[in-house]
Amino acid sequence: MPESDNKAKVELNLPGVDMKSLVKQIVRRGRRRDQEGWVDLVHGNWVGYWKIYVRQEDGTEVRKRRQVTLGSKKELRKIEAKDKLRKIILDDPSTGSSRPDPNRTFRWFYENRFLPTKEGHWSPATKSNVQNIMKKHVLPAFGQEPLAGIDKVTIINFLNHTAQTYSESLTDKAYIYIKAIFAEAIDQEYLERNPCRKIELPKTRKPTKRYLTLKEIRCLDQALKGRDRLIFRLLVIAGLRPGELFALRSNDYSNGQIRVDESIGSYKRTINDPKTEDSAANVPIPREVNDELLRYQAKLKNRNPEAFLFPGRYGGFPIHSRTFLRRVLKPLAEKKGITNLTYQCLRRTFATHFQKYGLPKDAQSIMRHASIEMTMNVYTQPIPQSAREAQEAMFSALFWSDSGQIGKRSKKPSLEVIH
């Protein structure tokens, strides 16, 4: 007969124990350490021992031993004492690795458990973006709530409110960050389920496509003077992002072009790399803006080539982009009846008007977008002559010259005043 046929079939029947149910409980609990424990005879009584693993707040585990008196030797045989201990262990919720406290606040988990595991992998731009959205929008809504107390409906209500007030991009990013935080809470065993599962993002207000008309550009340009007018012109005619413009240093300018190789974060005011690798490049400026910049530089007190081109009130660090927008550009615009003026509006103004003067590839070169259909690695390329010529023609059409007259127009089609 085959060897397998000679094996005896052993069935273990324990009094008062449903073995089928017992096996299911063991399988559901998965891997356990010391889950069966052991028994010893102490002074005529059976004493059961087992170990639990308690997770600390820093993520480490501490092993602790538990014990229980099971009964006297006269009342129980050893195998019966083991069975009794096994049932006690299965009913003990702290057996194995215990979960960290799920009633920790959302803010505590974000700052102490989520950020340390993630921010080391983020680029400076991503880190600034996450911190800005969390500080302004997410933490005020959920910061003081316990992790286990935030459910799906609470998150949906937050997203609905955000969508009614802010852009689709901000709403989408807030949701992504919240979902990632809860996913990390599950990985670290603070929670069992992610309340962000199967949430559909609400409809948001349509993104603005606002840009300045020719009449609005001339109105603001004529009202601004000195440094403020120079900043405004650079934003419009060079398509610079505010963090890039205010990070410019004296040695970033030469031969009719400026070098963009740094950016200032809007949240913690740190000096970072530009938004993307393609954002680091040389940007041309028209002759008249070039002359204006030379005159401005000649008046600066700090001659250090590493000094910021647009220093703040107390020198050293540059002007804060939000301060310049809030204290200079917006009040002037509102006084002139110009609404919804933002830095995005100014960058969009360049892109909108430039298309009448240059090719899309020229606009890409100046704005330093990654590619047009992934055809060009901008920041390693020289500035095309066609981009320079188109920019000069655009400046002549948009701005007043220093003599107070509209500059000489290019032979290319002129802009119409859009009301």
Side-chain angles (χ1 to χ4, degrees), residues 314-329:
Y314 303 105
F317 222 67
I319 302 169
H320 197 298
S321 59
R322 289 201 299 267
T323 299
F324 184 78
L325 182 66
R326 186 176 66 250
R327 295 183 181 179
V328 179
L329 292 183

Side-chain angles (χ1 to χ4, degrees), residues 199-234:
I199 287 181
E200 293 185 9
L201 291 176
K203 293 183 179 180
T204 57
R205 60 183 176 84
K206 292 182 179 180
T208 178
K209 297 182 179 180
R210 174 81 164 97
Y211 65 92
L212 296 182
T213 66
L214 178 57
K215 183 178 180 180
E216 290 171 334
I217 294 171
R218 291 175 178 171
C219 178
L220 292 174
D221 185 66
Q222 191 174 18
L224 291 166
K225 305 295 180 184
R227 180 202 66 181
D228 296 343
R229 187 178 75 161
L230 176 59
I231 291 174
F232 174 71
R233 287 185 167 187
L234 285 171

Side-chain angles (χ1 to χ4, degrees), residues 297-406:
Q297 277 189 306
K299 297 178 182 179
L300 291 176
K301 295 180 181 180
N302 191 343
R303 299 293 180 176
N304 187 335
E306 290 292 327
F308 288 105
L309 198 56
F310 301 107
R313 180 182 301 179
Y314 303 105
F317 222 67
I319 302 169
H320 197 298
S321 59
R322 289 201 299 267
T323 299
F324 184 78
L325 182 66
R326 186 176 66 250
R327 295 183 181 179
V328 179
L329 292 183
K330 272 188 172 293
L332 176 61
E334 291 172 1
K335 184 179 178 181
K336 300 293 184 181
I338 300 172
T339 59
N340 299 325
L341 180 63
T342 64
Y343 287 120
Q344 290 85 356
C345 169
L346 296 179
R347 187 165 163 84
R348 196 178 298 112
T349 296
F350 168 82
T352 301
H353 291 295
F354 188 85
Q355 62 185 324
K356 294 189 177 183
Y357 292 89
L359 300 172
K361 189 173 181 179
D362 295 329
Q364 178 199 12
S365 176
I366 295 175
M367 297 187 76
R368 294 152 293 116
H369 284 154
S371 64
I372 299 175
E373 298 179 355
M374 303 300 291
T375 58
M376 183 177 178
N377 193 0
V378 177
Y379 74 99
T380 62
Q381 303 296 321
I383 299 167
Q385 183 61 28
S386 58
R388 289 184 179 275
E389 293 174 355
Q391 188 189 50
E392 289 285 353
M394 177 177 167
F395 181 84
S396 296
L398 296 188
F399 291 97
W400 292 81
S401 68
D402 287 336
S403 62
Q405 302 295 322
I406 299 294

Side-chain angles (χ1 to χ4, degrees), residues 39-265:
V39 296
D40 282 332
L41 191 61
V42 180
H43 303 301
N45 292 316
W46 292 112
V47 179
Y49 303 90
W50 73 101
K51 294 176 182 178
I52 65 171
Y53 295 80
V54 180
R55 188 182 295 276
Q56 307 297 302
E57 295 297 349
D58 62 359
T60 60
E61 287 185 330
V62 176
R63 187 173 66 176
K64 296 183 179 181
R65 192 176 75 170
R66 288 193 173 182
Q67 69 181 60
V68 62
T69 301
L70 301 168
S72 68
K73 183 180 178 182
K74 295 180 180 180
E75 297 172 347
L76 297 172
R77 292 179 298 167
K78 186 173 184 179
I79 190 171
E80 293 172 335
K82 286 184 176 180
D83 294 339
K84 187 174 181 178
L85 175 62
R86 188 178 294 113
K87 290 199 298 183
I88 292 173
I89 292 173
L90 288 173
D91 292 336
D92 183 0
S94 63
T95 303
S97 296
S98 63
R99 289 187 180 278
D101 185 5
N103 291 312
R104 284 286 191 176
T105 65
F106 184 89
R107 178 186 291 274
W108 180 90
F109 182 83
Y110 165 71
E111 293 176 347
N112 296 279
R113 307 295 293 170
F114 178 77
L115 280 180
T117 65
K118 302 296 183 182
E119 61 182 348
H121 306 286
W122 293 338
S123 67
T126 299
K127 184 176 179 180
S128 177
N129 199 7
V130 173
Q131 291 174 332
N132 191 34
I133 291 177
M134 291 298 298
K135 178 183 177 181
K136 287 186 175 181
H137 305 283
V138 178
L139 291 180
F142 301 121
Q144 301 308 314
E145 297 293 327
L147 284 171
I150 303 173
D151 58 14
K152 184 175 183 178
V153 175
T154 304
I155 296 171
I156 290 175
N157 288 335
F158 165 76
L159 294 174
N160 288 340
H161 174 74
T162 305
Q164 293 173 3
T165 311
Y166 300 98
S167 67
E168 179 181 358
S169 174
L170 191 148
T171 305
D172 185 51
K173 288 177 181 176
Y175 169 68
I176 290 172
Y177 301 155
I178 294 170
K179 187 175 181 179
I181 290 169
F182 280 115
E184 185 63 29
I186 292 171
D187 287 345
Q188 296 187 28
E189 300 184 351
Y190 280 80
L191 297 174
E192 293 184 356
R193 292 176 62 84
N194 193 329
C196 290
R197 290 175 66 248
K198 298 182 180 180
I199 287 181
E200 293 185 9
L201 291 176
K203 293 183 179 180
T204 57
R205 60 183 176 84
K206 292 182 179 180
T208 178
K209 297 182 179 180
R210 174 81 164 97
Y211 65 92
L212 296 182
T213 66
L214 178 57
K215 183 178 180 180
E216 290 171 334
I217 294 171
R218 291 175 178 171
C219 178
L220 292 174
D221 185 66
Q222 191 174 18
L224 291 166
K225 305 295 180 184
R227 180 202 66 181
D228 296 343
R229 187 178 75 161
L230 176 59
I231 291 174
F232 174 71
R233 287 185 167 187
L234 285 171
L235 288 168
V236 172
I237 203 64
L240 295 174
R241 301 177 180 93
E244 297 167 345
L245 184 141
F246 291 109
L248 291 175
R249 302 175 187 267
S250 292
N251 61 2
D252 286 331
Y253 161 76
S254 66
N255 301 323
Q257 62 185 23
I258 52 180
R259 180 178 68 246
V260 176
D261 57 4
E262 291 178 316
S263 180
I264 297 181

